[in-house]
Amino acid sequence: MNRQNYIFTSESVSEGHPDKVCDRISDAVLDAFLAEEPEARVACETLATTDRVVIAGEVRGPGTVLERVEDIARACVKDIGYEQKGFHWANMNVANYLHAQSAHIAQGVDASGNKDEGAGDQGIMFGYATSETDALMPAPILYAHQILRRLAEVRKSGQEPTLRPDAKSQLSVRYEGGKPAEVTSIVLSTQHESEHQTSEDIRGIVEPYIREVLPDGWITKNTEWWVNPTGTFVIGGPDGDAGLTGRKIIVDTYGGAAPHGGGAFSGKDPTKVDRSAAYAARYLAKNVVASGLAERCLIQLSYAIGVSKPLSIYVDTFGTGEVPEAEIEKAINVVMDLSPRGIREQLSMNRPVYQRTAAYGHFGRAPDADGGFSWERTDLVDALKNAV
């Protein structure tokens, strides 16, 4: 029997968090390659620290993109909003160490003769969905993201000029009868302009936006508030703490409410199943829940490098399923080709749509008209119902 009454906590980080700056640059480089060559291969990693960005990895695609990598990095940092001593988009040093993809990796991934394209690596990937929110996402991570997105909007619009890009949020949500009922604590740390601003000053700025985002009744007289609990937070971003691509994998997915396979997403083209198969697993889990086959659904896929078909498919509906999990596993194989090529084609993934995923979560977002967040569609509902 699953627990029905408990408190669960998830965190998010803003687009100005050092790790997210790196995710953004890596995905922007990926998008630049895909815009010129949809079949490009990219595995781009970024490091950021005081006044310096280092970009490295393996690529196969137009050399003209390599010539633009520095400009791409500067444009990302400028859009995020860093113009501070210690990290400024115009003054930072950018080092580009991207090089050609390994021929030994390429031979496993490329199609040849009767061999279909293989997975870009071995590994396990998870997808999850739950009916507790309209986005079919766990509430703590969904609203932790939304708080920071709202604060970024008012910062960039000039409505709150003393806020700065680096920020973190954390929500503890009390569940009653298996459904979110109350926020027991709110943690919000945000970089700000002046050392003269106190924690109370910052709470006065951010509290109205937090209340605006959270559902009515979730903040109560018992809710604990921790806004900039250490006090001053003026030195932020990569100047305050070094950043790396791929260090916020739980923030990127389900906030700890479901397992993560271990592979990061940002900077990887969709032949890398770390990314594409995790998106496919979310797509399938979301459609299972949207179809009414279960209130919660976890899907695991596994792959071997160079092999096109998944080695295993596992489904867990946590006792909420309307049909046995084994039937859903069979249905998944019917409604979707889970080879790397099949995933990319069904979700139209060879497009430059990844930079927008780098902050505020890869899941729980509305599908975009240009194909972004295609894995959030619920267009498999009828097919799944028919298959079971």
Side-chain angles (χ1 to χ4, degrees):
M1 181 68 178
N2 291 306
R3 290 187 65 185
Q4 297 294 298
N5 303 311
Y6 55 93
I7 295 172
F8 194 82
T9 303
S10 295
E11 70 157 348
S12 178
V13 297
S14 72
E15 63 199 74
H17 184 280
D19 296 331
K20 284 290 147 197
V21 172
C22 295
D23 285 345
R24 170 77 175 271
I25 293 170
S26 293
D27 273 335
V29 170
L30 169 62
D31 279 353
F33 274 98
L34 294 179
E36 292 200 21
E37 186 178 308
E39 301 297 328
R41 301 285 168 78
V42 179
C44 178
E45 311 289 346
T46 303
L47 176 149
T49 186
T50 302
D51 276 335
R52 182 173 294 271
V53 167
V54 180
I55 302 167
E58 305 80 45
V59 299
R60 191 173 75 190
T64 52
V65 177
L66 290 174
E67 299 168 3
R68 298 192 286 114
V69 165
E70 179 175 337
D71 291 338
I72 291 168
R74 293 190 191 280
C76 289
V77 175
K78 182 179 182 180
D79 182 70
I80 291 169
Y82 277 115
E83 296 184 339
Q84 66 189 39
K85 182 181 179 181
F87 199 71
H88 192 297
W89 66 270
N91 302 329
M92 66 188 189
N93 180 284
V94 180
N96 176 10
Y97 295 105
L98 291 169
H99 59 82
Q101 183 187 50
S102 161
H104 292 170
I105 293 176
Q107 72 182 357
V109 177
D110 292 344
S112 60
N114 294 324
K115 174 185 173 297
D116 195 6
E117 292 180 16
D121 202 352
Q122 71 174 50
I124 56 174
M125 299 83 205
F126 290 93
Y128 180 70
T130 171
S131 62
E132 67 189 61
T133 62
D134 291 342
L136 304 187
M137 284 287 288
I141 187 65
L142 180 69
Y143 289 108
H145 285 324
Q146 290 186 8
I147 287 169
L148 293 182
R149 288 189 74 183
R150 183 67 181 123
L151 292 178
E153 289 170 359
V154 297
R155 171 178 63 83
K156 289 183 168 183
S157 71
Q159 190 172 341
E160 297 296 346
T162 66
L163 296 183
R164 292 294 179 263
D166 196 357
K168 300 180 78 171
S169 63
Q170 183 173 289
L171 289 183
S172 297
V173 177
R174 182 176 64 82
Y175 284 71
E176 188 174 292
K179 301 296 182 183
E182 175 189 16
V183 175
T184 60
S185 68
I186 298 168
V187 182
L188 191 287
S189 294
T190 181
Q191 185 186 9
H192 54 94
E193 180 182 50
S194 171
E195 293 183 359
H196 299 295
Q197 291 174 293
T198 66
S199 296
E200 290 74 21
D201 294 332
I202 301 304
R203 176 172 173 175
I205 293 171
V206 303
E207 182 172 344
Y209 301 109
I210 294 173
R211 289 184 176 274
E212 173 189 319
V213 165
L214 293 176
D216 289 343
W218 281 24
I219 297 176
T220 71
K221 60 182 177 60
N222 298 319
T223 301
E224 295 183 350
W225 289 76
W226 301 97
V227 177
N228 281 19
T230 62
T232 303
F233 183 10
V234 173
I235 300 172
D239 185 33
D241 188 12
L244 289 169
T245 298
R247 262 203 317 207
K248 287 293 179 283
I249 57 176
I250 299 303
V251 171
D252 285 343
T253 54
Y254 308 102
H260 190 291
F265 300 154
S266 290
K268 297 178 180 177
D269 75 77
T271 66
K272 281 75 171 174
V273 285
D274 279 347
R275 182 169 216 163
S276 57
Y279 288 179
R282 160 65 179 174
Y283 175 55
L284 290 164
K286 185 174 184 180
N287 276 271
V288 166
V289 174
S291 69
L293 293 175
E295 291 184 12
R296 295 170 63 200
C297 181
L298 174 72
I299 294 176
Q300 184 204 57
L301 305 174
S302 70
Y303 290 84
I305 188 168
V307 179
S308 61
K309 296 295 184 182
L311 305 184
S312 64
I313 300 172
Y314 168 80
V315 172
D316 188 352
T317 58
F318 307 94
T320 70
E322 296 295 320
V323 297
E325 282 99 339
E327 295 301 313
I328 298 176
E329 291 168 357
K330 292 177 184 176
I332 285 170
N333 253 331
V334 171
V335 302
M336 188 171 183
D337 176 359
L338 287 169
S339 68
R341 182 197 298 273
I343 293 170
R344 293 200 312 279
E345 290 179 352
Q346 182 147 348
L347 297 178
S348 302
M349 296 183 74
N350 280 17
R351 304 184 188 191
V353 295
Y354 297 102
Q355 186 176 173
R356 70 195 71 171
T357 69
Y360 314 120
H362 292 245
F363 308 127
R365 313 274 287 272
D368 294 326
D370 65 353
F373 299 102
S374 59
W375 48 93
E376 291 297 310
R377 302 190 313 243
T378 52
D379 53 354
L380 286 184
V381 166
D382 290 339
L384 279 168
K385 288 180 177 178
N386 293 333
V388 298

